[in-house]
Amino acid sequence: MPGTHRVRRGPGLPRSPGHRRISSRNGLGRRRLLALAALSGFVLPLTGCGGSGSADTGKASNPYGLIEAGTIRSATQTGQPPFAYAEDSGKPAGFIVDVTDEAAKRLGLKVDYKSTSVTGSLAGLTAGQYDLASSGLGVTEERQKSVDFTKPLFWSTVTVLTTSKSTISTFDGFNGKRVGVVTGSSQEAQLPTRIPKAQPVRFQAQNAAVSQLLNGSIDAFLVGGPDATEFMKQYKGLRQAVSAPVDHPTSMAVPKNHTAFLKALDKEIGAMVADGTYAKLYRKYFTTQPQPELLAAWPALKTQFPGAK
């Protein structure tokens, strides 16, 4: 077994009819026994020290407890613009992806992105498949039972996306209608309170829901405000029916009890806010001013977005 030292017994003292008399008159046998006992006493502490050194070395080479030292294995999505999506080349892009890349660079780490769904990313974190979920995840009480979240990266709204043919402009107006939601999304959890009598239609990805909305299979799609804005840019036949603020931030998620990694991410996000990098990335993807709740979370943003309240 590695790290274990085996003590080999010395040859036993010969037994003879006069062995007791020899032992009582000669201290040689006793000295041998004492020597063996002393040797055993020194071996055990050395074994313990060897194990501790190995643990210390492992911690030093992988201080954040990542699945693979030096690399963040991150779950992301390919159809959640502007937070996380895939470029034509297939390369991950988006606001959360850019924040992840910048934080990783400052920590001296690489990022290995794995495309999955909302439910897949959260389940993968709890199963030890991912170190991080880099997408626009709403921080809900239910999710906090199984994963931990970084400090707020965005404060969103919830929007009912519909087609230009529809004239409905209230949440209640969609009662009785077929309303799409992404399985596992925060919007799915909000549907019963926003539109209590809606007929839910669940999808694994946003792109699928938008496709069904465009062809008339569903009447509306309950989605995050920034996401709705991006889809309206892509498809002229879509419009925002109604929108409202939400009561939770948008963040990245890590497995439970990965304290060192979470603290390191939050520290780098804070540094990005302080030096203006966060504001630069924000303006790259969003035209609206940060919500008051986000400004409260990061007071330094108040001077970087003078028009925000």
Side-chain angles (χ1 to χ4, degrees):
M1 183 180 295
T4 301
H5 298 269
R6 183 182 299 234
V7 179
R8 303 185 67 177
R9 295 179 180 271
L13 295 176
R15 297 179 65 88
S16 67
H19 72 280
R20 292 183 180 177
R21 180 172 53 82
I22 293 172
S23 298
S24 61
R25 293 183 180 181
N26 191 338
L28 178 61
R30 183 174 295 175
R31 285 196 299 269
R32 286 182 178 177
L33 291 174
L34 289 172
L36 285 172
L39 178 61
S40 299
F42 281 114
V43 169
L44 291 175
L46 286 172
T47 301
C49 290
S52 176
S54 299
D56 290 343
T57 301
K59 186 175 182 180
S61 62
N62 190 9
Y64 307 121
L66 303 175
I67 297 170
E68 178 185 351
T71 300
I72 301 171
R73 190 175 299 174
S74 181
T76 191
Q77 297 181 56
T78 58
Q80 194 199 18
F83 296 106
Y85 58 92
E87 295 180 339
D88 292 340
S89 63
K91 180 182 177 181
F95 175 64
I96 300 294
V97 172
D98 281 3
V99 171
T100 300
D101 289 343
E102 180 65 23
K105 182 177 72 174
R106 296 182 182 212
L107 290 171
L109 302 171
K110 297 183 295 183
V111 185
D112 179 18
Y113 289 103
K114 305 291 184 181
S115 177
T116 185
S117 62
V118 174
T119 52
S121 64
L122 295 173
L125 287 175
T126 60
Q129 295 177 328
Y130 307 120
D131 300 304
L132 180 68
S134 299
S135 56
L137 294 172
V139 182
T140 64
E141 289 186 8
E142 187 63 28
R143 288 175 175 174
Q144 286 178 304
K145 295 176 182 178
S146 57
V147 298
D148 289 330
F149 289 92
T150 63
K151 291 183 178 180
L153 294 176
F154 191 81
W155 212 284
S156 191
T157 57
V158 61
T159 293
V160 176
L161 191 63
T162 189
T163 65
S164 54
K165 297 178 181 179
S166 172
T167 59
I168 301 173
S169 59
T170 64
F171 286 108
D172 287 344
F174 288 94
N175 279 321
K177 303 294 185 181
R178 290 170 57 82
V179 179
V181 288
V182 171
T183 300
S185 67
S186 60
Q187 290 79 33
E188 180 186 30
Q190 294 178 61
L191 183 60
T193 54
R194 298 287 185 182
I195 314 174
K197 296 181 181 180
Q199 299 178 38
V201 181
R202 293 174 173 82
F203 298 90
Q204 290 300 312
Q206 291 187 351
N207 288 337
V210 171
S211 176
Q212 293 298 300
L213 177 59
L214 289 168
N215 69 26
S217 296
I218 59 175
D219 302 298
F221 177 31
L222 192 66
V223 65
D227 312 56
T229 299
E230 291 300 313
F231 286 123
M232 287 188 288
K233 290 178 182 177
Q234 295 178 39
Y235 306 103
K236 301 304 181 185
L238 298 178
R239 75 172 184 89
Q240 174 181 298
V242 58
S243 182
V246 296
D247 60 0
H248 59 263
T250 295
S251 300
M252 297 185 289
V254 302
K256 275 287 186 186
N257 301 318
H258 277 50
T259 307
F261 185 42
L262 182 60
K263 286 184 176 179
L265 287 173
D266 281 340
K267 180 179 179 181
E268 297 308 328
I269 293 168
M272 290 158 56
V273 170
D275 66 22
T277 302
Y278 174 91
K280 180 180 178 180
L281 294 177
Y282 186 100
R283 291 188 175 97
K284 177 180 175 182
Y285 292 98
F286 307 107
T287 57
T288 58
Q289 296 279 46
Q291 294 288 328
E293 294 87 347
L294 187 63
L295 299 178
W298 300 106
L301 292 178
K302 294 178 182 179
T303 58
Q304 298 172 24
F305 292 90
K309 299 180 180 180

